[in-house]
Amino acid sequence: MESIMSNTTNPPVKGGAIVYLAVDGAVKAAEFYHKAFAGELARLYPPDDKGRTMHAHLYINGSSVMLGDFYPEHGHPVVAPAAFNVTLTVDDTDAWFDRAVAAGCTPKMPVSDMFWGDRYGQVQDPFGVIWAINGPVKK
């Protein structure tokens, strides 16, 4: 994935609450999110000599998702993602779920019609992040 850098202008931030993920392999995660969730790269800081990037910015489903690598030497140790999920509200839950699984996500909760009136499922990406996919029930 090509680095997109500008010294003067940051890309616009989209969405109300922005997800900022710390993952082990942010450049690879950005590439993976492109395949799994149709992510569009807005900005990617070039990797350092260890292959880590401090910042990547993608647009996924109309919102900004940002991520960076762990930097233990700067107080950001490697920790597994826990106690959260990233929820995508989409038009076609099954299509988003199937694309994510085809790209390499692990199904955690199969897509089904839920008691609250939507169609919902969960996948886990190779970096440990759980993604909830929610949309309308098919008619």
Side-chain angles (χ1 to χ4, degrees):
M1 186 167 267
E2 183 180 322
S3 293
I4 297 176
M5 287 288 298
S6 168
N7 292 330
T8 59
T9 307
N10 285 321
V13 175
K14 299 178 180 181
I18 307 305
V19 175
Y20 204 113
L21 303 171
V23 296
D24 190 14
V27 172
K28 289 183 180 179
E31 292 169 350
F32 181 81
Y33 297 156
H34 171 71
K35 288 187 278 188
F37 304 114
E40 299 173 41
L41 186 64
R43 188 166 201 181
L44 176 67
Y45 279 75
D48 65 13
D49 59 353
K50 295 180 181 177
R52 304 173 301 180
T53 186
M54 62 178 272
H55 182 72
H57 180 171
L58 291 99
Y59 300 128
I60 298 176
N61 193 36
S63 293
S64 289
V65 174
M66 300 181 193
L67 53 147
D69 279 287
F70 297 105
Y71 285 84
E73 69 273 23
H74 297 293
H76 300 282
V78 177
V79 293
F84 73 93
N85 70 53
V86 179
T87 300
L88 300 171
T89 301
V90 300
D91 291 335
D92 188 338
T93 304
D94 294 85
W96 279 75
F97 186 93
D98 292 344
R99 180 181 55 220
V101 171
C105 285
T106 302
K108 298 301 278 182
M109 180 179 184
V111 174
S112 60
D113 296 347
M114 302 305 286
F115 66 90
W116 62 81
D118 286 335
R119 199 152 167 75
Y120 179 88
Q122 291 184 349
V123 296
Q124 185 171 28
D125 72 32
F127 305 91
V129 177
I130 301 221
W131 294 77
I133 305 170
N134 191 72
V137 172
K138 290 183 175 184
K139 295 182 184 200

